[in-house]
Amino acid sequence: MKLDPFYPIVDSSTWVARLVPLGVKLLQLRIKDVEDENRLQQEISAARKVCERHGCQLIVNDYWQLAIDEACDFVHLGQEDLEGADLDAIRRAGLRLGVSTHDGDELETALSADPDYIALGPVFPTSSKSLKWEPQGVAKVTGWKRQVGDLPLVAIGGITLERAVEVLQSGADSIAVISDVTRNPDPEQRTRDWIGQTRR
């Protein structure tokens, strides 16, 4: 399986509607701190419709049951979410699985779940969420790519457009991007620039 090299992560269907029509082909919807299941379902459903219309694969973070209900393409799980998830149900529904990793033990746990891709981070210092792990650096990306072989490796954490080529050349198959797009003064143009840079 091949992942698009540009993998934005956004927190609402509004962002999906802004960015996907620009040519985004892989995107994660990561909604935190929302308890209302109806609202979550509406957000995922709205995002899926936009993605379907524009040929973009939608990855839903955490909410695997809703992702199944809405027939999304992928579920992405953090280590703490793996235990409570029904991986067989996710597979039976035809969804693919991505798993977050931060160290060697987590990589082993992730690989035991037979994922479709592994995410490694943070590669650089990041402001998107507070993590107990130190930045890994691009050398770690190279080492992990060697370990996972043909399994796609997603690099995440503090990666700007200016660092994209270096990260891809270090072995990442795809780069997950949050603040470099969503906190940019012109998110649409930044998205176009990312697409242009990563699909050369």
Side-chain angles (χ1 to χ4, degrees):
M1 183 191 72
K2 196 165 167 28
L3 293 180
D4 194 84
F6 174 51
Y7 173 170
I9 298 177
V10 298
D11 63 4
S12 70
S13 60
T14 305
W15 272 112
V16 175
R18 280 179 73 176
L19 302 184
V20 167
L22 303 174
V24 172
K25 293 302 173 194
L26 179 73
L27 174 140
Q28 183 185 128
L29 182 64
R30 179 164 83 184
I31 301 173
K32 297 290 183 189
D33 307 318
V34 174
E35 301 298 319
D36 181 350
E37 191 152 312
N38 283 337
R39 194 181 140 209
L40 284 168
Q41 183 134 22
Q42 285 167 1
E43 283 286 290
I44 292 169
S45 177
R48 187 188 60 76
K49 285 172 184 158
V50 173
C51 287
E52 206 168 47
R53 208 159 47 241
H54 294 277
C56 175
Q57 293 184 307
L58 177 63
I59 302 169
V60 172
N61 186 279
D62 289 353
Y63 302 107
W64 58 270
Q65 286 143 318
L66 292 175
I68 289 172
D69 293 345
E70 291 297 326
C72 297
D73 300 291
F74 285 82
V75 173
H76 183 93
L77 298 174
Q79 294 278 320
E80 64 284 358
D81 305 302
L82 266 177
E83 283 176 36
D86 187 339
L87 300 182
D88 290 336
I90 291 168
R91 296 288 183 206
R92 278 197 305 275
L95 274 70
R96 283 170 280 187
L97 175 67
V99 181
S100 293
T101 61
H102 305 90
D103 60 31
D105 290 341
E106 290 194 350
L107 179 58
E108 281 184 37
T109 302
L111 290 172
S112 70
D114 191 26
D116 294 285
Y117 73 81
I118 293 279
L120 167 67
V123 177
F124 300 108
T126 175
S127 58
S128 295
K129 60 193 233 187
S130 61
L131 295 167
K132 62 184 182 187
W133 294 275
E134 291 296 308
Q136 310 279 346
V138 290
K140 182 66 89 61
V141 174
T142 304
W144 280 41
K145 183 57 187 173
R146 211 173 291 125
Q147 274 182 271
V148 302
D150 291 336
L151 198 62
L153 180 65
V154 175
I156 184 170
I159 305 172
T160 61
L161 181 63
E162 292 73 25
R163 290 165 158 166
V165 171
E166 178 190 14
V167 174
L168 291 170
Q169 287 175 346
S170 298
D173 297 285
S174 184
I175 298 174
V177 183
I178 305 172
S179 54
D180 194 61
V181 167
T182 59
R183 293 187 189 169
N184 189 280
D186 187 345
E188 284 83 0
Q189 186 55 49
R190 194 64 164 174
T191 296
R192 290 187 195 96
D193 292 343
W194 266 98
I195 290 169
Q197 179 77 278
T198 54
R199 293 196 193 145
R200 277 180 184 164

